[in-house]
């Protein structure tokens, strides 16, 4: 059985697909992955021996700029990605039995599956964006939501998605003989989306009117050794505090390397900076600070005192599985949700604002580094499922899904 997996987004959108591809291959299927042509992602997929089929522009070209993308950028990118999906997926999906799409709203993926007569599944890594009576829609480019009525705001959200993607999507559908779609958001999501998130970290029962299928997080097993110089740093003293903002680039708090370094030192701890797309670098040449690039978090996080991060789904899950206390400094999208959940579970602290100071981050670290927090983090770690990718792979391979 051949299965096409596709996404467009940051590492947090690509790595779960690598995990799912590996699980599918272990079950005897033939996975294909269409993703952004960033070098990081090609290397990631090479770890599971699945070549990357390039889809759209690199993510770095969009987000790794001095300033975050604007509404104008979004209205330029949306039709570009729709066109790329019809073109790239239309070819890559030939001979496949199913197509699973995730990442930045994958308008165009279901339509290719429809044209080819194959199964389509939409998957997400958090609840944000799924219509719900319990919370309001998040921000989208171009418009401001009006009023406070939940239902009305979700209707406005659907219209904003139509504005972004509708003209391009329906133009391409017409070109391949398909009728127009009047609600792009719900068309992409379907009535039965999959949620690839751990039920302890992201409880979903009753949170949306859709018939949600929660598989658990798709975690890629990682047996890579830590670099020798990192091992030497870890062995040279007490466990350090890890500070990383992943693929945030322009969204990372200004001056976060300096603020975090001073806050960690105020706690009497050493600092481990993750360079990431934000390009974090040491503020001085003191021996208590070390910088790493892309590294095996599954091997590293059990050996740190705490993890300070932006609140991406992948990093939150990795820290939780390792039993490492967390300080989440949320910036955009689903990150405030993960921050709130970390605090609610008692496995770390949610920073009150998106722009920390030395004092505010030090206060959050005080809470995270408390013995009770580590004990609670250790207890929760034992409840985090590790089989989400296998669950999803088996569902994809079932004839009726």
């Amino acid at each position: 059985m051949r299965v096409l997996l596709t996404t467009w987004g940051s590492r947090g959108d690509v790595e779960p697909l690598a995990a799912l591809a590996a699980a599918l291959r272990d079950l005897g299927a033939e996975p294909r992955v269409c993703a952004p042509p960033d070098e990081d992602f090609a290397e990631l997929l090479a770890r599971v021996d699945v070549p990357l089929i390039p889809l759209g522009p690199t993510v770095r070209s969009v987000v790794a700029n001095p300033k975050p993308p604007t509404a104008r950028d979004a209205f330029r990118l949306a039709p570009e990605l729709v066109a790329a999906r019809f073109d790239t997926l239309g070819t890559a999906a030939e001979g496949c039995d199913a197509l699973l799409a995730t990442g930045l709203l994958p308008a165009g993926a279901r339509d290719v599956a429809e044209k080819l007569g194959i199964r389509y599944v939409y998957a997400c890594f958090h609840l944000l964006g799924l219509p719900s009576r319990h919370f309001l829609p998040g921000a989208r480019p171009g418009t401001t939501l009006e009023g406070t009525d939940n239902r009305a705001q979700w209707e406005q959200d659907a219209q904003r998605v139509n504005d972004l993607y509708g003209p391009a999507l329906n133009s391409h559908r017409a070109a391949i003989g398909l009728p127009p779609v009047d609600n792009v958001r719900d068309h992409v999501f379907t009535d039965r989306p999959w949620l690839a998130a751990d039920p302890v970290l992201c409880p979903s029962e009753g949170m949306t009117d859709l018939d949600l299928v929660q598989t658990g997080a798709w975690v890629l097993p990682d047996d890579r050794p830590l670099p020798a110089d990192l091992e030497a740093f870890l062995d040279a003293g007490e466990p350090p505090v890890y500070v990383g903002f992943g693929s945030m680039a322009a969204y990372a708090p200004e001056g976060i390397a300096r603020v975090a370094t001073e806050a960690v030192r105020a706690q009497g701890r050493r600092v481990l900076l993750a360079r990431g797309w934000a390009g974090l670098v040491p503020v001085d040449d003191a021996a208590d600070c070390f910088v790493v690039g892309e590294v095996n978090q599954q091997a590293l996080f059990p050996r740190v005192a705490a993890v300070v991060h932006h609140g991406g789904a992948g990093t939150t899950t990795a820290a939780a599985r390792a039993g490492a206390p967390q300080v989440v400094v949320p910036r955009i999208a689903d990150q405030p949700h993960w921050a709130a959940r970390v605090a609610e579970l008692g496995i770390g602290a949610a920073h009150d604002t998106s722009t920390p100071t030395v004092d505010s981050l030090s206060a959050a670290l005080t809470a995270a580094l408390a013995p009770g927090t580590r004990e609670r983090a250790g207890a929760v770690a034992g409840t985090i499922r590790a089989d989400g990718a296998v669950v999803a792979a088996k569902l994809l391979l079932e004839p009726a899904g």
Side-chain angles (χ1 to χ4, degrees):
M1 182 172 179
R2 294 191 180 117
V3 180
L4 178 62
L5 312 176
T6 183
T7 189
W8 196 92
S10 67
R11 186 184 183 93
D13 298 296
V14 179
E15 185 162 335
L17 287 196
L20 180 56
L24 284 165
R25 173 162 288 168
D26 288 346
L27 292 172
E30 180 185 328
R32 301 174 181 176
V33 177
C34 287
D38 294 75
E39 183 178 351
D40 303 16
F41 305 156
E43 294 173 353
L44 174 60
L45 288 166
R47 283 172 43 196
V48 295
D49 197 26
V50 175
L52 183 152
I53 302 172
L55 174 71
T58 64
V59 177
R60 277 185 182 266
S61 68
V62 176
V63 304
N65 297 307
K67 294 183 178 180
T70 64
R72 178 178 295 181
D73 294 329
F75 275 89
R76 185 185 307 114
L77 178 64
E80 181 181 357
L81 288 178
V82 169
R85 292 191 184 101
F86 274 87
D87 181 28
T88 303
L89 302 184
T91 300
E94 290 181 358
C96 289
D97 302 282
L99 190 163
L100 180 144
T102 186
L104 186 64
L105 195 95
R110 180 178 183 177
D111 316 275
V112 168
E114 181 182 349
K115 180 65 176 177
L116 294 175
I118 64 176
R119 182 183 177 196
Y120 166 78
V121 174
Y122 170 75
C124 53
F125 305 121
H126 51 77
L127 294 168
L128 186 75
L130 299 180
S132 172
R133 292 166 291 172
H134 300 281
F135 50 82
L136 297 175
R140 294 192 194 271
T143 57
T144 302
L145 292 172
E146 298 178 355
T148 57
D149 178 74
N150 179 286
R151 184 179 297 275
Q153 287 211 12
W154 280 108
E155 290 174 354
Q156 293 173 48
D157 180 72
Q159 184 55 53
R160 289 185 300 172
V161 175
N162 282 346
D163 293 342
L164 272 168
Y165 295 96
L169 181 69
N170 284 324
S171 174
H172 284 279
R173 283 180 62 88
I176 59 174
L178 296 177
V181 169
D182 60 7
N183 185 323
V184 176
R185 184 196 67 197
D186 293 357
H187 171 74
V188 169
F189 288 171
T190 76
D191 294 329
R192 198 166 190 252
W194 291 9
L195 175 62
D198 186 83
V200 172
L201 296 176
C202 186
S204 62
E205 187 173 355
M207 293 305 292
T208 174
D209 294 334
L210 300 176
D211 184 16
L212 199 62
V213 177
Q214 187 161 12
T215 64
W218 302 345
V219 178
L220 179 63
D222 196 343
D223 59 2
R224 294 174 299 161
L226 296 177
D229 53 353
L230 174 56
E231 285 278 9
F233 177 75
L234 294 171
D235 291 341
E238 293 297 314
V241 171
Y242 172 98
V243 179
F245 282 78
S247 306
M248 291 303 291
Y251 290 104
E254 185 175 356
I256 185 59
R258 180 192 62 79
V259 169
T261 298
E262 292 185 18
V264 172
R265 285 172 173 168
Q267 296 291 321
R269 298 281 181 168
R270 300 187 301 156
V271 188
L272 182 57
L273 291 177
R275 187 176 297 108
W277 285 12
L280 303 188
V281 295
V283 297
D284 53 39
D285 58 0
D288 67 342
C289 182
F290 190 84
V291 178
V292 294
E294 198 280 314
V295 70
N296 181 351
Q297 293 181 340
Q298 294 171 30
L300 175 61
F301 283 179
R303 300 176 63 180
V304 302
V307 176
V308 177
H309 63 101
H310 55 298
T315 308
T316 303
T317 302
R321 290 184 70 228
Q326 307 181 47
V327 173
V328 184
V329 184
R331 299 289 289 176
I332 59 171
D334 58 317
Q335 295 167 10
H337 159 79
W338 296 110
R341 188 59 181 154
V342 163
E344 184 178 3
L345 285 169
I347 61 176
H351 194 272
D352 289 338
T353 68
S354 60
T355 306
T357 65
V358 173
D359 288 343
S360 66
L361 188 55
S362 182
L365 276 168
T366 297
L369 293 169
T373 306
R374 175 162 286 280
E375 291 174 7
R376 176 63 180 159
V380 169
T383 69
I384 306 298
R385 294 178 54 175
D387 64 343
V390 175
V391 170
K394 289 179 177 178
L395 286 173
L396 268 178
L397 299 181
E398 288 178 0

